[in-house]
Amino acid sequence: MRVLVVEDEEFLAEMIAEGLRRDAVAVDIAPDGPSALEKLRFGAYDVMILDRDLPGLHGDEVCRRVVGARLLTRILMLTASGTVRDRVAGLGLGADDYLTKPFAYDELLARVLALGRRSRPALPPVLERAGLTLDTARRQVCRDGRFLSLSRKEFAVLETLLRAEGAVVSGDDLIEEVWEEDTSYRTNAVRVTLSKLRTKLGAPPVIETVPGAGYRIGNGPAASTGNGPAASTGNGPAPLTGPEDTR
């Protein structure tokens, strides 16, 4: 899941972003209205956490433009304006949810995850395939009844592959879905994270590498367990090499 935090208070924006990243959510930050629209123009986000009182362009206008463009991005308004009239006005602009400051982080996370599920084709909160069970609400993964301890990136990669329901997911798509916008296509992010994930999942392997296409989770033992990256179809990036953050 990708989230855009639009908040001009730097400390609050970083606090929200860091919390969501710990819960395996890829997060970008925009400090004002114009930069938010710029990021939305070039990136696909499942959820936007939107402060109403923004510099440059008011949050209400950002909301109007996102709704007018018919983007699939769900909007969670986060603001100190908490009267009934304010909430009604915000929802009337097209926002999907409304949360007032101050707020409890656990509630923010629950609302973001709920909105994220609405921005995608309907899938159950518990994903199962090839002996794997991933609980998106509890952030738990187990294989054949054995609970696994995954990093936030490993969890997010596995969730993305499970949501594909056996379809191939390219290296480009994994980076777009799991990593922040400043991650280069030329890093070894996908290769390193998949290598560690495969080790934790154990035998028999379930993550297949599809040469020249990407990765998928099959119904049984993977036909190919090589850890080398696969380029996306079409004009994809060069092979993934170099340092990366696999936290």
Side-chain angles (χ1 to χ4, degrees):
M1 180 188 298
R2 292 187 66 84
V3 173
L4 177 61
V5 177
V6 188
E7 171 61 62
D8 61 324
E9 295 183 29
E10 183 178 357
F11 175 80
L12 178 58
E14 291 292 346
M15 182 187 71
I16 294 172
E18 184 58 31
L20 292 174
R21 287 166 184 157
R22 285 196 301 268
D23 286 293
V25 177
V27 184
D28 296 325
I29 297 175
D32 53 50
S35 61
L37 293 179
E38 187 73 6
K39 290 180 183 296
L40 287 163
R41 184 177 305 158
F42 294 104
Y45 295 94
D46 298 292
V47 179
M48 175 172 60
I49 300 174
L50 178 66
D51 183 25
R52 290 187 78 175
D53 297 318
L54 291 172
L57 186 68
H58 196 275
D60 288 359
E61 182 59 27
V62 174
C63 183
R64 288 190 189 95
R65 296 191 187 187
V66 170
V67 173
R70 298 185 178 181
L71 299 182
L72 296 178
T73 303
R74 300 295 183 178
I75 302 171
L76 169 60
M77 279 194 168
L78 183 65
T79 175
S81 304
T83 67
V84 172
R85 182 175 181 179
D86 289 325
R87 293 197 297 271
V88 170
L91 294 171
L93 292 169
D96 299 281
D97 201 355
Y98 198 104
L99 186 61
T100 58
K101 303 174 184 177
F103 59 89
Y105 171 74
D106 287 346
E107 181 180 2
L108 173 70
L109 174 63
R111 290 173 181 264
V112 167
L113 294 178
L115 290 176
R117 289 192 294 269
R118 290 170 56 189
S119 70
R120 303 162 181 257
L123 285 173
V126 177
L127 307 175
E128 297 181 277
R129 189 178 183 86
L132 294 170
T133 301
L134 185 146
D135 189 323
T136 59
R138 294 183 175 88
R139 317 306 282 177
Q140 292 178 342
V141 176
C142 65
R143 181 174 188 185
D144 298 326
R146 176 174 59 92
F147 283 93
L148 306 176
S149 177
L150 304 184
S151 73
R152 58 187 179 89
K153 294 299 187 191
E154 293 160 1
F155 185 97
V157 167
L158 183 60
E159 181 181 357
T160 301
L161 292 174
L162 285 170
R163 286 189 180 279
E165 298 184 303
V168 175
V169 180
S170 72
D172 293 38
D173 290 340
L174 280 174
I175 289 180
E176 173 69 21
E177 183 71 20
V178 175
W179 279 268
E180 283 73 39
E181 63 180 353
D182 57 351
T183 301
S184 170
Y185 285 111
R186 295 181 180 275
T187 69
N188 62 355
V190 173
R191 181 180 63 81
V192 170
T193 302
L194 275 170
S195 177
K196 293 181 177 180
L197 178 58
R198 281 169 165 149
T199 298
K200 291 182 179 181
L201 292 178
V206 293
I207 299 179
E208 302 177 5
T209 297
V210 182
Y215 310 91
R216 69 183 172 201
I217 293 182
N219 290 314
S224 171
T225 60
N227 292 332
S232 62
T233 56
N235 298 323
L240 304 173
T241 58
E244 69 98 22
D245 172 17
T246 58
R247 291 175 296 173

